[in-house]
Each structure stands twice: as C-alpha cells, then as structure tokens.
C-alpha cells in the first residue's frame, strides 16, 4: 500500500491549455477583484478550505449566480459543525434557471438511443418542453415539496422532466427502467411521490425489454401517485398500464406555456439520490438547490473545464449519480450528449462502438466508469485508429480506481494530448472529493488534486492526518453539496451514523468519514490522491490491511482474466480464508499454470501474505447498478448469511450472477476455511 508513484508525469498541459482553462480565468478574477493571488493550485485549495465563506462567495460572484434575498451570511455552523451547516440561509433561487441560462442558442442535447434513434434538442425547444410539462404538472396539483419520481432511461424526456420539476420547487428522483419492481419500489416508496413519469420499456444490445408489467407492479407500491406521465419509448403505440389518471408525454409537453421559475430557499430539496441498496434499504439522500448549484458549478466549470462550445458525454445509467452530474454540465452552456443502450452497441459486443459515437457527435469531454476504460484496454482496441477523435480534449474516469495500466492505455491508444481527468466522489455528495484540473500534470494512477472547497484528508487509526500513506478518506469541514438529510430519517440518526460516528476533531466537532482508503501524494503544485477501494471491504492478512483495488490491478493485468473479485473471510475461532473469484476470457482455462502465474504475480507485486488461499473460476460477477463489485454482500453470503439478507437482488444489475455464488456458498461453506494450498 506504500508503492511510490512514478515521479515523472504521463501528461503535462501546454501553456495555451493552461491559459484557456476556466480555473485560470477564475484565478485572474480573484487577483483583480479580490486582491488574492495564488502561485500554486495547492495555495488556492488551502484558501478555499480555510476561508470557505470567502471562497464560496467568490464562486457566486465570479459565475454571476442568481441568488435573491439576503446573501450577507454565507455559512451558519452548529456547534458540531457537521451535519447541520447552513449555506446562504437568507437566499432564494431556482436551480432550473441556471441550467437554461439566458438567451442560449444552438443545441442543448443530442441523443442516441437504441429504441428512439438519434437526434438533437435545441435550447429553445428544451425550455419550451420544460415549460409545457411544468404547466401540466401544476394543473395536476404538483406544488413545491411534492415528490416526482421518474422511471426512465438516459433520454431527453428525463432531462426535460427534471427541469420542469425543479422549476416548480418539487423534488425529483429517478431510476433506470432496468431496475426491477422491488428495487424501484424500495427507493420510491420511501419518498411517497405524487407523480410517476414512466416509460413502457427500453432496448438494450438489440433486444426489447417491455416494462409495462413492472410499472403496474411499481404503482401498486406507490398508493399516493395521483398522476402518471406516460412515455411510450419502446413502442410509440404503447398504452399506460394503469387506471389512474395519466397523460401521454406528447400531450404533456404540447403548447407554449412559459417556464415559470419558483424561487425556493437555498436549502430547499432539489433531488433525492439513493445509495446502492445492495445490503439493505437504500438511503434516500436529499440534496438542495443551492448546494447543487455551487458544487455543480465548481465541478463542471473549474474541475471539468466545461464551457460554451463543449460537447460532453458521460456514459451511465439514470440510476447512477453520474446522470445528475451530466445534467449539471448544462450549467456551463455546454451541449450534453445522451446515450441510451448497450455501451458495446446493439449487435455483437463491440468495444469501439462508444468511441465511434464520440467521434460522430464531436464530443470534447468524454467520461465513463473506470471499468469501461479497462474493458476497452483488455479488448485490445485503439480508439484513435478506428474513429476521428480530433475534437476530444478530455477523457474522464470515475466509479472505481483506474489502474495505472488504464492511464497508459488512454495516452497510447486514445490520444497522447488529451487531459485524463480521474475523479472520486460519491452519491452522498453528488460531486467529487478528489478531482482534476487541466492546469496540472497527470501522474500515472493518481487523481490530480483535492477538489476546491473540499477539506479532504487521510486519517490513520488514531485519527491523525497522514501524507503519503494509506488512511481513511475524511472531510474535516462542511461542503454545500453534503446531504441536507435522509428522507424519512426523522431524528437524523441514520445520517449521523453513516458518516459521523468514527472521527471528531480536538474540539469535539464531527468529521465526515467517507469509507474509502486514500493515500494523499504531495506534489510541488498540488496534493494528488490514490484510492485503494472501500475500507469496509479491506483485506486484513496477519494484521496488514490492504485495499482490494491493489490486488485487482495485479490479477486483471493477466490477459486470461476478464474480471475478478476477492473476498476475505474472517471467522471467530477459525482460520480465515482469502478467496479470489475470476471470470476468464474466452478460450482461457484456469489450469495449474494460470493459478501459479496469478499467485506469483500477487506474491511479487504485493506480498506472500496476500496470495489467495483459493482461486476459483466463476461464470460472471454480480455488480451494482453503477457497475461496482459486490465485495461486502458476497462476503456476507459466503460467511453464511441468507441471500435475501446478504443482498437486495433488485439492486444488482445482473442478479442472475448471484445464483452461482449462492450454490457455491451452500456447497463450499464447510470447506471454506480449508488450509492454504
């Protein structure tokens, strides 16, 4: 866990890229308007966390964010600092106003959908449809604070609906239609929506998936839904599967009603995101209009360098917070490019499909989960040779740690002059703790910097901040994007237990524990970071703790391995067992030679104590709806917990993959602690 990073950067920004960057314009503005000059990014970051009132007020002023009412007080802190911090408590605003801007022309959205084809939506049409839908919802009795749930894929209707809902001061929540009725109901039933916006189905990898029966089952669990907005996405003639009052999408967005923007308090709920829900009822995480505006502006403009003229595409499901971050790209006047369907195309799997789409759409900023990039790498494709990526200037990666080999592949196979912007954050803050900037060099395996305003540190077991060694990722001061509360958590106990039960400072003030292993790497201009996986899925061998991502880096580098998951089984009074499950590439075989090759690689790269006790072939690995490995649920299952208690199947993207592990657990549990071979 103490591996030193390469001292030489894999990419260094050219002077003109630095000068054109929006963060450079921000620094010039601070010098001119505030008399503050910062020689290094690290100095700017230190100021942003040491003087949060001055920093966040400068964000409001520099970007001319529309806050009405009193802005005299920027931050009101309770004695315990977190949770309960209130930002701009006297201000009002509406997030939707900032998404649409003033007088924007040209294309707001592009879309490419297996079910609906391809097309574009102008800024004017986006505002017209949002205004018409908002009028429909208002006529149906939707008021500020009412919840509106959406069961939609990544299509323009989802963006239009969100803007309409936000404009009313109602509260938005969405999940993708590949989520089953129980998974969707576990989320939406908690928030008791008044309206459900749902589609009839979707198309994935060339196959149609009819979800009308699912919508019907979902509505049975949502008795307070008084109106359904029906989106016939898979079949234009599909009828709504309900007797409740409903309106077809075409009718709901007809007409030219002006979009009325209801001002709401800064901390008025904007949307509700949900945790993965793989091991229990998903947490209903509430974010506010003001917090998302401030943090979304910083993330989009300063840490993604988005602006008018950019075209941004982030591959992801509407169940993943990346969808919300993608929508926030509209804050900068950028065009957002939506993709609905299989990432490898509608026919036989083709990892070059998305890259050709990037070229066709002229995408300038392209992001995806780290698993997508590593899959492309393992498939041996070279995007620069199969698509014209001349417009592409930024490649983003998130979701899980991108291994160093992934960095090398992007600069070798995609383009040598793109900025690789690897970020790490979470659904809980709908933003980033660690991010990038095009003004800093990129070092292999590292995120470039701590995000502005985010007082990120790495704590050892004693709660002391450490550098260049692995500790718990913490945030020591409030952020505007931290949750307002969890819906239904009346006394706030679940919220406090989720983040604030481990660390506090010398004055007894709460410190946010995020649950990731982090090593902060000091550099001349900024402190970078490396994530080593979730701290609740740590491998503990002989008292030596290791993040799982390190082992995956070694195992997945073998050309015979398509995927892997490691589970450290610790028993009371019995010997522990470290099990490595691998999915093989086609035509590969888990023979004695491959087993020994993997063991030798782990022994050499990590240590002898981290060599698995057993290496087992599995047909597929279950993952969350956002593509993360189910390390903790599998651990619980293999330790003897029943499947219904170990994992919520509807929160798993490929729940069928669990069946093999259930059978394995039943068959192997008596010998799971067999001596190491």
């Amino acid at each position: 866990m103490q591996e030193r990073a390469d001292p030489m950067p894999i990419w260094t920004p050219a002077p003109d890229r630095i000068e054109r960057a929006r963060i450079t314009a921000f620094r010039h503005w601070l010098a001119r308007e505030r008399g503050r000059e910062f020689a290094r990014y690290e100095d700017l970051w230190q100021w942003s966390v040491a003087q949060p009132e001055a920093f966040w007020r400068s964000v409001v002023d520099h970007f001319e964010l529309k806050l009405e009412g009193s802005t005299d007080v920027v931050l009101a802190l309770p004695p315990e600092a977190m949770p309960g911090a209130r930002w701009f408590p006297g201000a009002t605003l509406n997030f939707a106003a900032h998404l649409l801007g003033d007088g924007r022309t040209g294309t707001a959205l592009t879309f490419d959908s297996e079910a609906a084809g391809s097309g574009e939506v102008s800024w004017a049409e986006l505002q017209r449809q949002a205004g018409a839908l908002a009028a429909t919802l208002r006529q149906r009795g939707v008021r500020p604070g009412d919840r509106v749930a959406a069961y939609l894929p990544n299509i323009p209707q989802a963006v239009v609906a969100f803007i309409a809902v936000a404009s009313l001061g109602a509260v938005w929540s969405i999940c993708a239609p590949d989520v089953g009725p129980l998974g969707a109901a576990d989320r939406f039933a908690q928030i008791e929506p008044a309206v459900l916006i749902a589609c009839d189905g979707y198309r994935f990898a060339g196959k149609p998936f009819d979800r009308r029966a699912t919508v019907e089952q979902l509505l049975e669990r949502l008795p307070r839904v008084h109106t359904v907005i029906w989106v016939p996405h898979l079949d234009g003639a599909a009828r709504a599967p309900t007797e409740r009052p409903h309106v077809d999408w075409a009718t709901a967005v007809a007409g030219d009603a002006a979009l009325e923007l209801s001002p709401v308090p800064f901390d008025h709920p904007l949307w509700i995101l949900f945790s993965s829900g793989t091991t229990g009822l998903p947490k209903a995480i509430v974010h506010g209009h003001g917090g998302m505006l401030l943090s979304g502006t910083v993330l989009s403009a300063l840490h993604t360098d988005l602006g008018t003229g950019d075209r941004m595409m982030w591959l992801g499901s509407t169940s993943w917070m990346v969808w919300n971050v993608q929508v926030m790209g509209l804050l900068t006047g950028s065009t957002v490019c939506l993709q609905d369907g299989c990432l490898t195309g509608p026919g036989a799997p083709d990892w070059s499909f998305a890259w050709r789409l990037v070229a066709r759409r002229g995408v300038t900023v392209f992001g995806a989960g780290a698993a997508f990039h590593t899959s492309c790498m393992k498939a041996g494709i070279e995007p620069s040779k199969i698509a014209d990526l001349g417009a592409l200037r930024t490649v983003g990666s998130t979701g899980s740690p991108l291994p160093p080999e992934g960095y090398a592949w992007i600069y070798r196979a995609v383009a040598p002059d793109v900025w690789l912007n690897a970020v790490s954050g979470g659904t809980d803050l709908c933003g980033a703790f660690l991010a990038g900037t095009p003004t800093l060099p990129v070092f292999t395996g590292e995120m470039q910097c701590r995000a502005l305003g985010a007082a990120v540190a790495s704590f050892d077991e004693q709660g002391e901040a450490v550098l260049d060694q692995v500790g718990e990722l913490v945030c020591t001061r409030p952020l505007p994007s931290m949750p307002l509360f969890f819906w239904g958590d009346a006394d706030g106990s679940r919220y406090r237990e989720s983040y604030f039960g481990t660390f506090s400072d010398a004055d007894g003030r709460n410190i946010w524990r995020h649950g990731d292993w982090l090593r902060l790497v000091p550099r001349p201009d900024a402190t970078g970071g490396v994530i080593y996986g979730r701290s609740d899925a740590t491998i503990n061998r002989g008292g030596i703790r290791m993040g799982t991502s390190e082992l995956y880096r070694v195992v997945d580098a073998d050309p015979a391995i398509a995927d892997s998951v490691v589970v450290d089984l610790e028993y009371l009074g019995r010997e522990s067992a470290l099990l490595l499950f691998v999915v093989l590439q086609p035509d590969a075989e888990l023979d004695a030679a491959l087993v020994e090759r993997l063991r030798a690689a782990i022994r050499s790269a990590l240590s002898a104590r981290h060599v698995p006790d057993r290496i087992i072939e599995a047909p597929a690995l279950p993952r969350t709806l956002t593509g993360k490995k189910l390390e903790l649920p599998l651990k619980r299952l293999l330790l003897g917990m029943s499947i219904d208690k170990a994992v919520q199947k509807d929160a798993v993207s490929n729940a069928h993959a669990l069946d093999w592990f259930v059978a394995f657990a039943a068959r192997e549990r008596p010998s799971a602690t067999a001596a190491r071979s």
Side-chain angles (χ1 to χ4, degrees), residues 615-661:
I615 300 176
I616 304 142
E617 181 182 355
L621 301 185
R623 290 180 177 268
T624 69
L625 298 172
T626 60
K628 295 182 179 179
K629 303 181 186 190
L630 293 184
E631 294 168 322
L632 190 57
L634 288 181
K635 180 174 183 175
R636 292 175 174 177
L637 179 64
L638 295 174
L639 285 174
M641 187 177 288
S642 64
I643 182 65
D644 58 323
K645 293 183 178 180
V647 61
Q648 297 288 332
K649 281 192 172 184
D650 268 24
V652 180
S653 64
N654 53 343
H656 61 85
L658 285 168
D659 297 338
W660 184 90
F661 283 91

Short mmCIF file of all heavy atoms in Angstrom, two decimals, residues 615-661:
data_model
loop_
_atom_site.label_atom_id
_atom_site.label_comp_id
_atom_site.label_asym_id
_atom_site.label_seq_id
_atom_site.Cartn_x
_atom_site.Cartn_y
_atom_site.Cartn_z
N ILE A 615 -8.17 -19.94 -5.70
CA ILE A 615 -8.54 -19.19 -6.89
C ILE A 615 -9.61 -20.01 -7.61
O ILE A 615 -9.39 -21.16 -7.96
CB ILE A 615 -7.33 -18.93 -7.80
CG1 ILE A 615 -6.26 -18.14 -7.05
CG2 ILE A 615 -7.77 -18.18 -9.07
CD1 ILE A 615 -4.99 -17.91 -7.84
N ILE A 616 -10.78 -19.41 -7.80
CA ILE A 616 -11.95 -20.15 -8.25
C ILE A 616 -12.54 -19.47 -9.48
O ILE A 616 -12.71 -18.24 -9.50
CB ILE A 616 -13.01 -20.20 -7.12
CG1 ILE A 616 -12.39 -20.79 -5.85
CG2 ILE A 616 -14.25 -20.96 -7.56
CD1 ILE A 616 -12.87 -20.14 -4.59
N GLU A 617 -12.87 -20.26 -10.47
CA GLU A 617 -13.50 -19.71 -11.67
C GLU A 617 -14.99 -19.53 -11.45
O GLU A 617 -15.67 -20.42 -10.94
CB GLU A 617 -13.27 -20.63 -12.87
CG GLU A 617 -13.88 -20.09 -14.16
CD GLU A 617 -13.70 -21.02 -15.35
OE1 GLU A 617 -13.00 -22.05 -15.20
OE2 GLU A 617 -14.26 -20.71 -16.41
N ALA A 618 -15.51 -18.37 -11.82
CA ALA A 618 -16.94 -18.08 -11.77
C ALA A 618 -17.41 -17.68 -13.16
O ALA A 618 -16.64 -17.08 -13.92
CB ALA A 618 -17.23 -16.96 -10.77
N PRO A 619 -18.65 -17.97 -13.51
CA PRO A 619 -19.12 -17.63 -14.86
C PRO A 619 -19.32 -16.13 -15.06
O PRO A 619 -19.18 -15.61 -16.17
CB PRO A 619 -20.44 -18.39 -14.98
CG PRO A 619 -20.89 -18.61 -13.57
CD PRO A 619 -19.64 -18.76 -12.76
N ALA A 620 -19.68 -15.41 -13.99
CA ALA A 620 -19.90 -13.96 -14.07
C ALA A 620 -19.88 -13.41 -12.66
O ALA A 620 -20.12 -14.14 -11.68
CB ALA A 620 -21.23 -13.63 -14.74
N LEU A 621 -19.60 -12.11 -12.54
CA LEU A 621 -19.57 -11.47 -11.23
C LEU A 621 -20.73 -10.49 -11.10
O LEU A 621 -20.94 -9.66 -11.98
CB LEU A 621 -18.25 -10.71 -11.02
CG LEU A 621 -16.97 -11.54 -11.10
CD1 LEU A 621 -15.77 -10.66 -10.77
CD2 LEU A 621 -17.02 -12.75 -10.18
N PRO A 622 -21.50 -10.58 -10.02
CA PRO A 622 -22.58 -9.62 -9.82
C PRO A 622 -22.03 -8.23 -9.52
O PRO A 622 -21.02 -8.09 -8.83
CB PRO A 622 -23.35 -10.19 -8.62
CG PRO A 622 -22.33 -10.99 -7.87
CD PRO A 622 -21.39 -11.54 -8.91
N ARG A 623 -22.70 -7.22 -10.04
CA ARG A 623 -22.29 -5.83 -9.81
C ARG A 623 -23.51 -4.99 -9.46
O ARG A 623 -24.64 -5.34 -9.79
CB ARG A 623 -21.60 -5.25 -11.05
CG ARG A 623 -20.21 -5.86 -11.32
CD ARG A 623 -19.57 -5.25 -12.56
NE ARG A 623 -18.22 -5.75 -12.80
CZ ARG A 623 -17.11 -5.16 -12.34
NH1 ARG A 623 -17.21 -4.05 -11.65
NH2 ARG A 623 -15.93 -5.67 -12.60
N THR A 624 -23.25 -3.85 -8.82
CA THR A 624 -24.32 -2.92 -8.51
C THR A 624 -24.82 -2.28 -9.80
O THR A 624 -24.24 -2.44 -10.87
CB THR A 624 -23.85 -1.82 -7.56
OG1 THR A 624 -22.93 -0.96 -8.26
CG2 THR A 624 -23.17 -2.39 -6.33
N LEU A 625 -25.89 -1.50 -9.69
CA LEU A 625 -26.44 -0.82 -10.86
C LEU A 625 -25.46 0.19 -11.44
O LEU A 625 -25.60 0.58 -12.60
CB LEU A 625 -27.74 -0.11 -10.47
CG LEU A 625 -28.87 -1.04 -10.00
CD1 LEU A 625 -30.03 -0.23 -9.47
CD2 LEU A 625 -29.33 -1.95 -11.13
N THR A 626 -24.47 0.61 -10.65
CA THR A 626 -23.45 1.54 -11.15
C THR A 626 -22.15 0.84 -11.49
O THR A 626 -21.13 1.49 -11.70
CB THR A 626 -23.19 2.66 -10.14
OG1 THR A 626 -22.73 2.08 -8.90
CG2 THR A 626 -24.45 3.45 -9.87
N GLY A 627 -22.17 -0.50 -11.54
CA GLY A 627 -21.02 -1.25 -12.02
C GLY A 627 -19.99 -1.62 -10.98
O GLY A 627 -18.92 -2.14 -11.32
N LYS A 628 -20.27 -1.38 -9.70
CA LYS A 628 -19.29 -1.69 -8.66
C LYS A 628 -19.41 -3.16 -8.23
O LYS A 628 -20.48 -3.74 -8.25
CB LYS A 628 -19.47 -0.77 -7.46
CG LYS A 628 -19.18 0.69 -7.79
CD LYS A 628 -19.31 1.57 -6.56
CE LYS A 628 -18.99 3.02 -6.93
NZ LYS A 628 -19.12 3.93 -5.76
N LYS A 629 -18.28 -3.73 -7.83
CA LYS A 629 -18.25 -5.12 -7.41
C LYS A 629 -18.94 -5.28 -6.05
O LYS A 629 -18.82 -4.43 -5.18
CB LYS A 629 -16.81 -5.62 -7.33
CG LYS A 629 -16.05 -5.47 -8.64
CD LYS A 629 -14.63 -6.00 -8.54
CE LYS A 629 -13.86 -5.69 -9.83
NZ LYS A 629 -12.57 -6.36 -9.91
N LEU A 630 -19.62 -6.40 -5.89
CA LEU A 630 -20.37 -6.66 -4.65
C LEU A 630 -19.49 -7.35 -3.62
O LEU A 630 -19.77 -8.47 -3.18
CB LEU A 630 -21.60 -7.51 -4.94
CG LEU A 630 -22.71 -6.90 -5.79
CD1 LEU A 630 -23.88 -7.87 -5.88
CD2 LEU A 630 -23.18 -5.59 -5.21
N GLU A 631 -18.43 -6.69 -3.21
CA GLU A 631 -17.49 -7.32 -2.29
C GLU A 631 -18.14 -7.65 -0.94
O GLU A 631 -18.06 -8.79 -0.46
CB GLU A 631 -16.28 -6.40 -2.08
CG GLU A 631 -15.46 -6.22 -3.34
CD GLU A 631 -14.45 -5.09 -3.20
OE1 GLU A 631 -14.78 -4.06 -2.57
OE2 GLU A 631 -13.33 -5.24 -3.71
N LEU A 632 -18.75 -6.66 -0.31
CA LEU A 632 -19.31 -6.88 1.03
C LEU A 632 -20.51 -7.83 1.00
O LEU A 632 -20.59 -8.74 1.85
CB LEU A 632 -19.67 -5.54 1.66
CG LEU A 632 -20.06 -5.58 3.14
CD1 LEU A 632 -18.94 -6.19 3.97
CD2 LEU A 632 -20.39 -4.17 3.64
N PRO A 633 -21.47 -7.68 0.07
CA PRO A 633 -22.56 -8.66 0.04
C PRO A 633 -22.09 -10.10 -0.19
O PRO A 633 -22.61 -11.04 0.42
CB PRO A 633 -23.44 -8.17 -1.12
CG PRO A 633 -23.18 -6.70 -1.18
CD PRO A 633 -21.73 -6.56 -0.85
N LEU A 634 -21.09 -10.28 -1.07
CA LEU A 634 -20.58 -11.64 -1.30
C LEU A 634 -19.90 -12.18 -0.04
O LEU A 634 -20.02 -13.37 0.28
CB LEU A 634 -19.60 -11.63 -2.47
CG LEU A 634 -20.21 -11.45 -3.86
CD1 LEU A 634 -19.12 -11.49 -4.93
CD2 LEU A 634 -21.26 -12.52 -4.15
N LYS A 635 -19.21 -11.29 0.67
CA LYS A 635 -18.57 -11.72 1.91
C LYS A 635 -19.63 -12.20 2.91
O LYS A 635 -19.48 -13.26 3.53
CB LYS A 635 -17.77 -10.57 2.50
CG LYS A 635 -17.05 -10.89 3.81
CD LYS A 635 -16.16 -9.73 4.22
CE LYS A 635 -15.37 -10.05 5.49
NZ LYS A 635 -14.42 -8.97 5.83
N ARG A 636 -20.71 -11.46 3.03
CA ARG A 636 -21.77 -11.85 3.95
C ARG A 636 -22.41 -13.17 3.53
O ARG A 636 -22.72 -14.03 4.36
CB ARG A 636 -22.82 -10.75 4.02
CG ARG A 636 -22.32 -9.48 4.68
CD ARG A 636 -23.35 -8.36 4.61
NE ARG A 636 -22.93 -7.19 5.37
CZ ARG A 636 -23.60 -6.06 5.43
NH1 ARG A 636 -24.73 -5.93 4.76
NH2 ARG A 636 -23.14 -5.05 6.14
N LEU A 637 -22.61 -13.32 2.23
CA LEU A 637 -23.21 -14.55 1.72
C LEU A 637 -22.31 -15.75 2.02
O LEU A 637 -22.78 -16.79 2.49
CB LEU A 637 -23.43 -14.42 0.21
CG LEU A 637 -24.02 -15.63 -0.52
CD1 LEU A 637 -25.43 -15.92 -0.03
CD2 LEU A 637 -24.03 -15.38 -2.02
N LEU A 638 -21.02 -15.59 1.79
CA LEU A 638 -20.10 -16.70 1.99
C LEU A 638 -19.84 -16.99 3.46
O LEU A 638 -19.38 -18.08 3.80
CB LEU A 638 -18.78 -16.40 1.26
CG LEU A 638 -18.89 -16.32 -0.27
CD1 LEU A 638 -17.57 -15.87 -0.88
CD2 LEU A 638 -19.32 -17.66 -0.86
N LEU A 639 -20.13 -16.02 4.31
CA LEU A 639 -20.00 -16.26 5.75
C LEU A 639 -21.24 -16.91 6.34
O LEU A 639 -21.30 -17.17 7.54
CB LEU A 639 -19.69 -14.95 6.48
CG LEU A 639 -18.26 -14.43 6.33
CD1 LEU A 639 -18.13 -13.06 6.96
CD2 LEU A 639 -17.26 -15.40 6.95
N GLY A 640 -22.26 -17.16 5.49
CA GLY A 640 -23.42 -17.90 5.96
C GLY A 640 -24.72 -17.15 6.00
O GLY A 640 -25.76 -17.73 6.34
N MET A 641 -24.72 -15.87 5.65
CA MET A 641 -25.97 -15.11 5.66
C MET A 641 -26.83 -15.54 4.49
O MET A 641 -26.33 -15.85 3.40
CB MET A 641 -25.65 -13.60 5.57
CG MET A 641 -26.87 -12.71 5.73
SD MET A 641 -26.43 -10.94 5.70
CE MET A 641 -25.63 -10.77 7.29
N SER A 642 -28.13 -15.58 4.68
CA SER A 642 -29.03 -15.97 3.60
C SER A 642 -28.99 -14.92 2.50
O SER A 642 -28.72 -13.74 2.75
CB SER A 642 -30.46 -16.14 4.12
OG SER A 642 -30.95 -14.90 4.61
N ILE A 643 -29.33 -15.33 1.29
CA ILE A 643 -29.23 -14.44 0.14
C ILE A 643 -30.14 -13.23 0.29
O ILE A 643 -29.78 -12.11 -0.06
CB ILE A 643 -29.54 -15.20 -1.18
CG1 ILE A 643 -29.40 -14.26 -2.39
CG2 ILE A 643 -30.91 -15.83 -1.14
CD1 ILE A 643 -28.01 -13.77 -2.64
N ASP A 644 -31.34 -13.43 0.87
CA ASP A 644 -32.28 -12.32 0.98
C ASP A 644 -31.81 -11.29 2.00
O ASP A 644 -32.20 -10.11 1.93
CB ASP A 644 -33.68 -12.82 1.33
CG ASP A 644 -33.71 -13.61 2.63
OD1 ASP A 644 -32.76 -14.35 2.89
OD2 ASP A 644 -34.69 -13.47 3.38
N LYS A 645 -30.96 -11.69 2.94
CA LYS A 645 -30.41 -10.74 3.91
C LYS A 645 -29.06 -10.19 3.47
O LYS A 645 -28.68 -9.07 3.85
CB LYS A 645 -30.27 -11.41 5.28
CG LYS A 645 -31.60 -11.76 5.93
CD LYS A 645 -31.39 -12.36 7.31
CE LYS A 645 -32.73 -12.67 7.97
NZ LYS A 645 -32.56 -13.27 9.32
N ALA A 646 -28.33 -10.94 2.66
CA ALA A 646 -26.99 -10.50 2.25
C ALA A 646 -27.03 -9.45 1.15
O ALA A 646 -26.16 -8.58 1.09
CB ALA A 646 -26.18 -11.71 1.78
N VAL A 647 -28.05 -9.52 0.30
CA VAL A 647 -28.07 -8.61 -0.85
C VAL A 647 -29.50 -8.44 -1.35
O VAL A 647 -30.30 -9.38 -1.30
CB VAL A 647 -27.16 -9.14 -1.98
CG1 VAL A 647 -27.63 -10.49 -2.48
CG2 VAL A 647 -27.06 -8.16 -3.13
N GLN A 648 -29.81 -7.23 -1.79
CA GLN A 648 -31.08 -6.96 -2.44
C GLN A 648 -30.93 -7.22 -3.93
O GLN A 648 -30.23 -6.48 -4.63
CB GLN A 648 -31.49 -5.50 -2.19
CG GLN A 648 -31.73 -5.16 -0.74
CD GLN A 648 -33.00 -5.77 -0.20
OE1 GLN A 648 -33.94 -6.00 -0.95
NE2 GLN A 648 -33.02 -6.03 1.10
N LYS A 649 -31.55 -8.27 -4.43
CA LYS A 649 -31.33 -8.67 -5.82
C LYS A 649 -31.70 -7.58 -6.82
O LYS A 649 -31.06 -7.43 -7.87
CB LYS A 649 -32.10 -9.95 -6.14
CG LYS A 649 -31.43 -11.22 -5.65
CD LYS A 649 -32.10 -12.45 -6.25
CE LYS A 649 -31.33 -13.71 -5.93
NZ LYS A 649 -31.91 -14.90 -6.59
N ASP A 650 -32.74 -6.82 -6.52
CA ASP A 650 -33.16 -5.79 -7.47
C ASP A 650 -32.19 -4.62 -7.55
O ASP A 650 -32.34 -3.75 -8.39
CB ASP A 650 -34.56 -5.28 -7.09
CG ASP A 650 -35.65 -6.05 -7.81
OD1 ASP A 650 -35.38 -7.21 -8.19
OD2 ASP A 650 -36.75 -5.51 -7.99
N ALA A 651 -31.21 -4.60 -6.65
CA ALA A 651 -30.19 -3.56 -6.70
C ALA A 651 -28.94 -4.04 -7.42
O ALA A 651 -27.92 -3.36 -7.42
CB ALA A 651 -29.83 -3.11 -5.28
N VAL A 652 -29.03 -5.22 -8.04
CA VAL A 652 -27.90 -5.81 -8.75
C VAL A 652 -28.20 -5.79 -10.24
O VAL A 652 -29.29 -6.19 -10.68
CB VAL A 652 -27.65 -7.26 -8.27
CG1 VAL A 652 -26.48 -7.87 -9.01
CG2 VAL A 652 -27.40 -7.27 -6.77
N SER A 653 -27.25 -5.31 -11.03
CA SER A 653 -27.51 -5.16 -12.46
C SER A 653 -27.65 -6.49 -13.16
O SER A 653 -28.37 -6.61 -14.15
CB SER A 653 -26.39 -4.33 -13.10
OG SER A 653 -25.15 -5.01 -13.01
N ASN A 654 -26.94 -7.51 -12.69
CA ASN A 654 -27.01 -8.84 -13.30
C ASN A 654 -27.26 -9.87 -12.20
O ASN A 654 -26.41 -10.69 -11.87
CB ASN A 654 -25.72 -9.17 -14.06
CG ASN A 654 -24.47 -8.97 -13.21
OD1 ASN A 654 -24.50 -8.32 -12.17
ND2 ASN A 654 -23.37 -9.56 -13.65
N ALA A 655 -28.46 -9.80 -11.63
CA ALA A 655 -28.78 -10.61 -10.45
C ALA A 655 -28.62 -12.11 -10.70
O ALA A 655 -28.37 -12.88 -9.77
CB ALA A 655 -30.20 -10.30 -9.99
N HIS A 656 -28.74 -12.52 -11.95
CA HIS A 656 -28.58 -13.95 -12.27
C HIS A 656 -27.20 -14.46 -11.87
O HIS A 656 -27.01 -15.65 -11.57
CB HIS A 656 -28.80 -14.19 -13.76
CG HIS A 656 -27.83 -13.46 -14.64
ND1 HIS A 656 -26.58 -13.97 -14.96
CD2 HIS A 656 -27.91 -12.25 -15.24
CE1 HIS A 656 -25.94 -13.10 -15.73
NE2 HIS A 656 -26.72 -12.05 -15.91
N ALA A 657 -26.20 -13.56 -11.85
CA ALA A 657 -24.84 -13.97 -11.48
C ALA A 657 -24.75 -14.39 -10.02
O ALA A 657 -23.81 -15.09 -9.62
CB ALA A 657 -23.86 -12.84 -11.77
N LEU A 658 -25.72 -13.96 -9.21
CA LEU A 658 -25.71 -14.34 -7.80
C LEU A 658 -26.01 -15.82 -7.60
O LEU A 658 -25.59 -16.41 -6.60
CB LEU A 658 -26.74 -13.51 -7.03
CG LEU A 658 -26.38 -12.05 -6.73
CD1 LEU A 658 -27.61 -11.30 -6.25
CD2 LEU A 658 -25.27 -11.98 -5.68
N ASP A 659 -26.77 -16.41 -8.53
CA ASP A 659 -27.20 -17.80 -8.35
C ASP A 659 -26.00 -18.73 -8.18
O ASP A 659 -26.02 -19.64 -7.35
CB ASP A 659 -28.06 -18.24 -9.53
CG ASP A 659 -29.35 -17.45 -9.65
OD1 ASP A 659 -29.77 -16.87 -8.63
OD2 ASP A 659 -29.92 -17.39 -10.76
N TRP A 660 -24.97 -18.49 -8.97
CA TRP A 660 -23.78 -19.35 -8.87
C TRP A 660 -23.14 -19.22 -7.49
O TRP A 660 -22.71 -20.21 -6.89
CB TRP A 660 -22.78 -18.98 -9.97
CG TRP A 660 -21.57 -19.87 -9.99
CD1 TRP A 660 -21.42 -21.03 -10.69
CD2 TRP A 660 -20.36 -19.70 -9.25
NE1 TRP A 660 -20.19 -21.59 -10.44
CE2 TRP A 660 -19.52 -20.78 -9.56
CE3 TRP A 660 -19.90 -18.73 -8.37
CZ2 TRP A 660 -18.24 -20.92 -9.01
CZ3 TRP A 660 -18.64 -18.86 -7.81
CH2 TRP A 660 -17.82 -19.94 -8.13
N PHE A 661 -23.08 -18.00 -6.96
CA PHE A 661 -22.45 -17.79 -5.66
C PHE A 661 -23.29 -18.38 -4.53
O PHE A 661 -22.75 -18.86 -3.53
CB PHE A 661 -22.20 -16.30 -5.43
CG PHE A 661 -21.01 -15.78 -6.19
CD1 PHE A 661 -21.16 -15.27 -7.47
CD2 PHE A 661 -19.74 -15.84 -5.65
CE1 PHE A 661 -20.06 -14.81 -8.19
CE2 PHE A 661 -18.63 -15.38 -6.35
CZ PHE A 661 -18.80 -14.87 -7.62
#
